[in-house]
Every structure is written in C-alpha cells, then in structure tokens.
Amino acid sequence: MKYISSLRMKAIDTNCSYLGLSPLQLMENAGAAIAQSVKEKLGSGKVLFVAGRGNNGGDAFVAARHLAGIPGYIVRVILLGKDRDIGTEEAYHNYSLLKFSRVQTLEIRDSGQLAVSELFSEADLLVDAIFGTGVKGNIKEPESTAIDLINNEGKAGKIIIAVDVPSGLDPDRGNFEKAVYADLTVTFHRMKAGLLDEQAKEYTGTIKVAEIGVCADAEHYTGPGDLQMLKKRKLEAHKGNAGRILVIGGGPYSGAPALAALAALRAGADLVTVAVPESVAGIVASYSPDLIVRKLFSSVLCPEDLSILPDLINSHDVVVMGMGLGRATETLETVRKLLPFCRKAVLDADALAALSGTLFETLAGNCEIIVTPHAGEFARLRDMETPDSPETREKAVREFAAEKGVVTLLKGKVDIISDGKQTLLNRTGNPGMTVGGTGDVLAGITGSLFSRNPAFLAAACAAYINGAAGDLAFEKAGNALLATDVIGKISEIIKEAGIG
Ligand SMILES: NC(=O)C1=CN([C@@H]2O[C@H](COP(=O)(O)OP(=O)(O)OC[C@H]3O[C@@H](n4cnc5c(N)ncnc54)[C@H](O)[C@@H]3O)[C@@H](O)[C@H]2O)[C@@H](O)CC1
Ligand SMILES: [K+]
C-alpha cells in the first residue's frame, strides 16, 4: 500500500499552493469528506466536533458548517482554546464562518471547564479533530483531558470519527502516549504510515482515505514544497556543518569547475575546494576569492594525482566531478580509480564518460552516486538512444536508476529525477539556459544539497533551484542570460524557501 509521511504531505500542500490550489480549498474538501462520513454513520442527531487550534481543527469547522445546513442535525463545536489562539489563517477563517452557520460554539479556558461540559454526554456522535499530523511531544492540557472525554463516550457506545489520524497518534511512526479510540478514521489524500502500525490498529477503527482534490502535478513535479523537506541550517552551526564539497574538474577548460564551485557555495555549502590541474589552477583561483583551489600535477587529471586526491576526498563530504576534465584516456582512468575513495559523488559531464555498467556494480554499497547526464550522455551510459516521448523517457530513467543503484537526474526541457523507486519531474528553467555552464551550476548545487540530504531529494531540489534561479535571471537577461547570472539568483530561491 502506498503511504505518505507527514513531511511529504506538507510538501505537497505547499506545491498545491504554488500551482494555485489554496490550502483553504484543500481544507474545504477535507471538511466536506468528514461531513459526508458523519452522514453515513448517523442519519440525524447531535454531533459534537472537538477541535484543536491547528488545521485539523480547521477541517472540523468546515465539516460542522456543511452538516449544520442539513435538517435533523444539531451541530456543536468545542474549541480547545480561544479564537485568538487558532494557529492558522485557514482554520481561523473557517471558525469565523461558524457564527453565520447555526453552529453552537464553545471556547474553553482549561481542562476543568471541559470536564464539566455536558456537550460530550449529550452527543450521539463525536468528531475528534484535536490534532492530526501536527502533533508534537507530550500531550498537554486541555488536549489530554479532551482525549479522555472522547474515549469515555466511545466506551459508552457513541460513534467516534477521527479527522486524518486519531489525535495523539504519531502519523509517521504510530507510537503515542495516549490517543483517541475511533470507530472510523478519515485520512486525507493518502494513507499515513503511522496508521498502519500494528499497535495503531486498535485506535484507528476502519480507515477511509478521502480524496481532497490535490493536483497530480503537486506530487509528480518538484516545487517549493520539496525544498521544505531539506535539512535546515542550525543556528548554532559551525564551519563545515553545512557541507564540505570537493570539486574535481578542469584541465582543458577552467570555467566549468569554477561555476560548479561557486554554485555549491551559493546553495549553502560552507567550504568548497576546487582541485584542478596545475595548468589552470591560477586562472580558476583568479575568478573569485571565495574559492579554495588545490593544484594537481599536470595539464589534465592524471594517475599522479592519485597521490593527493584520496586524502582530499576523505576530508570532504561530497565529491562533484567531471566539469571541464576532458576525455583523455589517463583522465578517465583516474576518475575510475578515484570513485572507490568517495562516499558521496555527483558525476557530471566528462566523468560520465568514464563510467561503465560494471563500475557501478563494484561501487555498490560503498559510494552513493548521483549522475546528471543530458540526453546524449544518458544514451552513452545506457548504450541506447534516449527516448523522445515523456513517458518512455521517464521509464528509462527509472529503470536505469534501479538497475545501477544510482540516483539519475536526466537534464532536459523537463528534467527527470529518479532513484528507481521514486521519480520526480522538474519544469523550472527556460530556453535561455541552453547556454554553456548551466549544467556545471546544477552539478554544484546538487553536491551542496547532497552533503546534508538524501541523494534523491538533493537531486530533485537542485533541479528545481537551478531552473528557478534561471527563470529569475531570464526576467532580466532574457535569452542572453549567462551561467553566472543563474548563480547570482540561487540565494533568492533558497531564501524564499526559508532553507538558507
Ligand atoms: N495538505 C495538508 O497538509 C492538509 C492538511 N489538513 C489538515 O491539517 C492537519 C495538520 O494541521 P497542522 O499542521 O496545523 O497541525 P494539527 O492541527 O495536527 O496540530 C497542531 C495544533 O496542535 C497543537 N499541538 C501539537 N502537539 C501538541 C501536544 N503535544 N499537546 C498539545 N497541543 C499540541 C499545536 O499547538 C497546534 O495548535 C492535518 O492532519 C489535516 O487534518 C487538511 O486541512 C487538508 C490539507
Ligand atoms: K484527529
């Protein structure tokens, strides 16, 4: 069964908003689904909604409004707090509408007031909307007493319906301190992992998954919500905590590794070292004082460099390799020999030319790899034409990623990112980005995010950030945009998503 984590659900919610489907619309659908379930369980009578101050409560306010319009129902809402304590705009909005909806509301001060309320015993059916996916830590008062009071009514034979998850149950792990015993749990959009837990079954009753109208693309395309899943920088962070990246590139070219390195810095890495052949080390260093440049031996990456690179690799979290290396036989051989020293690697451009199917197999389990090919490089990697049709392309990426055990980011008008199990598409970016260097920028961002995040998430978010930064750059420069313009906009995207 396909289930979803609360973090992913939040990301999808944000992506919906980005696509123009507001949280208020989703809440309306969630509330309508709850009202429908109440109607199926109880033809008429007194319905009590016990609502917390988050969006789980918000769903209950919507459901109460929907039911109150139907003859035969007497609808009451207990809010565990005061209206000013309601934590979200959407929940507050829906609570305000109850004034005009023939719903009796009671705001409670504390658990004492709750315990003497007769609304519980008078109800024929109780809806538990104390908390859903937002529950954290030990359950405080008055929520704890409210759970007990709902459970007392359940024991007395009343019907209990839980909104999204029985309150108290951890939606991801299923563990809990105390929780509501429900007859029916109406969960939204997808099954939550915690509901499937063996212990949780006693609490959920029957589980119904209700559609709330999430746009399919909010789940299948990257969006700002995916960025929210990235690890946030800690306030007490030390130098290096936000990632140490080693870029290995250059030789025939000097700009490509510098672009990757600068992009990695802009994407949040603390330290970026660029290891380049001696012939271009001075040029690369002259591009920016932000770069730490390590000089290799020759005019191209060569076996002699194996005397210094393994130590350097060891002192960094991620290696980003390939940009501007050229394809000299000795260079490709050195790339192959370096890979076993890497724990995490992003392989782009010329490094991809060094790869073969058997190499992936020898690395399996020791080194996590993200490859970032364009269609031509992907064709060479698979020894097969890259398909044109979107569906077949997606399938090819998914199968390649699964078979080789590498996260694959196939660059294109629509990027395809897959780890073989999960696949995401990315449509940020514009035709101006066909200019040279934007692929190097993408590799740098990917390395930076990969230092602190799972490979698939890092690759998907990097594709989004690179394209979105490119779109901002396009506003000013149009088709004349440069890779350096894209780097200049990365921080705006990251800041806007609140992850910088
Ligand atoms: N896409 C989505 O994410 C959607 C979410 N919706 C609803 O929104 C819910 C999540 O809403 P929120 O994120 O606002 O969170 P919740 O409403 O689940 O919980 C947050 C509230 O509970 C309080 N709280 C948390 N832990 C507590 C504890 N241990 N003791 C006492 N109080 C505690 C918080 O202070 C806050 O007031 C979902 O479960 C679902 O019902 C729906 O509106 C539909 C769309
Ligand atoms: K609930």
Side-chain angles (χ1 to χ4, degrees):
M1 183 181 289
K2 252 184 147 183
Y3 55 83
I4 198 165
S5 69
S6 52
L7 196 63
R8 183 76 193 127
M9 188 65 215
K10 238 186 176 131
I12 292 171
D13 188 33
T14 304
N15 287 350
C16 279
S17 196
Y18 168 68
L19 296 172
L21 179 65
S22 72
L24 206 51
Q25 286 174 284
L26 291 179
M27 187 176 276
E28 189 70 22
N29 292 340
I34 296 297
Q36 179 59 32
S37 291
V38 173
K39 282 194 279 175
E40 285 165 13
K41 287 278 183 192
L42 185 76
S44 62
K46 290 182 182 148
V47 180
L48 175 66
F49 290 87
V50 185
R53 301 174 306 275
N55 280 341
N56 200 249
D59 298 339
F61 305 145
V62 172
R65 168 162 49 82
H66 280 240
L67 267 188
I70 303 171
Y73 290 101
I74 297 170
V75 182
R76 290 155 168 178
V77 169
I78 291 184
L79 170 65
L80 301 176
K82 300 286 170 203
D83 62 351
R84 61 174 180 270
D85 304 324
I86 294 177
T88 74
E89 207 179 297
E90 292 77 25
Y92 186 81
H93 177 78
N94 280 307
Y95 185 71
S96 306
L97 292 176
L98 294 180
K99 289 199 285 280
F100 313 111
S101 307
R102 296 193 195 150
V103 173
Q104 183 191 331
T105 57
L106 174 69
E107 296 175 15
I108 66 112
R109 217 175 30 245
D110 53 33
S111 49
Q113 193 187 356
L114 197 60
V116 297
S117 167
E118 284 169 359
L119 297 182
F120 285 86
S121 57
E122 285 173 8
D124 299 307
L125 182 152
L126 292 90
V127 177
D128 152 39
I130 302 173
F131 18 68
T133 52
V135 66
K136 275 187 197 77
N138 292 343
I139 297 170
K140 299 191 201 79
E141 289 295 356
E143 287 79 4
S144 182
T145 299
I147 291 175
D148 294 339
L149 292 172
I150 293 174
N151 284 341
N152 284 346
E153 297 308 318
K155 272 191 215 142
K158 309 279 179 69
I159 307 161
I160 313 290
I161 298 181
V163 177
D164 208 15
V165 294
S167 292
L169 208 70
D170 181 315
D172 295 318
R173 285 168 291 277
N175 58 345
F176 51 90
E177 175 194 342
K178 67 157 76 169
V180 164
Y181 286 95
D183 298 290
L184 170 70
T185 297
V186 182
T187 198
F188 303 125
H189 183 58
R190 286 277 184 80
M191 180 60 89
K192 310 294 173 320
L195 298 179
L196 295 171
D197 186 87
E198 209 38 54
Q199 252 192 317
K201 280 189 186 139
E202 220 184 308
Y203 292 82
T204 58
T206 310
I207 303 174
K208 189 160 125 189
V209 179
E211 272 311 325
I212 54 169
V214 165
C215 302
D217 284 5
E219 238 173 320
H220 298 132
Y221 282 82
T222 57
D226 297 83
L227 269 51
Q228 287 171 358
M229 294 177 73
L230 294 167
K231 276 212 185 90
K232 309 252 177 328
R233 189 184 277 254
K234 288 200 183 102
L235 282 176
E236 69 278 15
H238 300 294
K239 189 176 276 179
N241 286 167
R244 295 165 194 264
I245 316 299
L246 175 65
V247 174
I248 303 175
Y253 306 94
S254 60
L259 288 171
L262 289 168
L265 281 170
R266 282 289 182 202
D270 270 349
L271 291 168
V272 180
T273 308
V274 203
V276 289
E278 196 217 347
S279 53
V280 291
I283 307 174
V284 174
S286 73
Y287 289 141
S288 165
D290 297 309
L291 299 177
I292 303 166
V293 179
R294 282 298 299 265
K295 209 193 290 181
L296 301 176
F297 285 99
S298 175
S299 59
V300 290
L301 182 73
C302 63
E304 225 185 329
D305 298 326
L306 288 164
S307 62
I308 56 167
L309 282 174
D311 278 349
L312 213 48
I313 289 173
N314 209 22
S315 59
H316 290 78
D317 304 313
V318 177
V319 176
V320 180
M321 184 153 55
M323 299 73 45
L325 279 177
R327 294 185 185 184
T329 313
E330 57 180 332
T331 298
L332 300 189
E333 187 196 327
T334 310
V335 168
R336 281 190 286 271
K337 289 201 168 138
L338 284 173
L339 282 173
F341 295 101
C342 303
R343 289 179 306 268
K344 288 181 168 190
V346 178
L347 304 179
D348 184 41
D350 297 326
L352 298 173
L355 298 178
S356 68
T358 49
L359 183 68
F360 286 124
E361 277 148 35
T362 54
L363 291 169
N366 297 320
C367 175
E368 281 186 85
I369 296 179
I370 301 175
V371 291
T372 57
H374 55 56
E377 289 161 341
F378 190 55
R380 204 209 61 82
L381 278 175
R382 291 197 317 144
D383 212 6
M384 231 186 284
E385 275 301 300
T386 300
D388 282 332
S389 94
E391 294 78 21
T392 348
R393 223 171 220 241
E394 195 179 321
K395 184 165 171 277
V397 174
R398 191 173 55 243
E399 287 176 356
F400 177 81
E403 191 189 315
K404 304 296 180 199
V406 291
V407 168
T408 306
L409 192 178
L410 174 62
K411 295 180 279 198
K413 187 161 176 278
V414 173
D415 306 309
I416 304 170
I417 306 100
S418 182
D419 64 0
K421 293 192 199 97
Q422 324 163 69
T423 302
L424 275 173
L425 309 180
N426 174 63
R427 60 180 151 211
T428 58
N430 57 75
M433 292 180 74
T434 52
V435 66
T438 55
D440 307 317
V441 173
L442 173 63
I445 302 172
T446 309
S448 184
L449 302 183
F450 191 19
S451 65
R452 303 178 61 231
N453 295 283
F456 175 73
L457 180 66
C461 291
Y464 175 85
I465 293 170
N466 185 52
D471 289 341
L472 280 186
F474 187 85
E475 282 174 18
K476 212 164 180 188
N479 284 328
L481 71 81
L482 300 177
T484 43
D485 298 334
V486 178
I487 295 174
K489 295 293 182 187
I490 293 171
S491 54
E492 277 182 53
I493 304 297
I494 290 199
K495 211 166 144 219
E496 202 177 285
I499 55 168

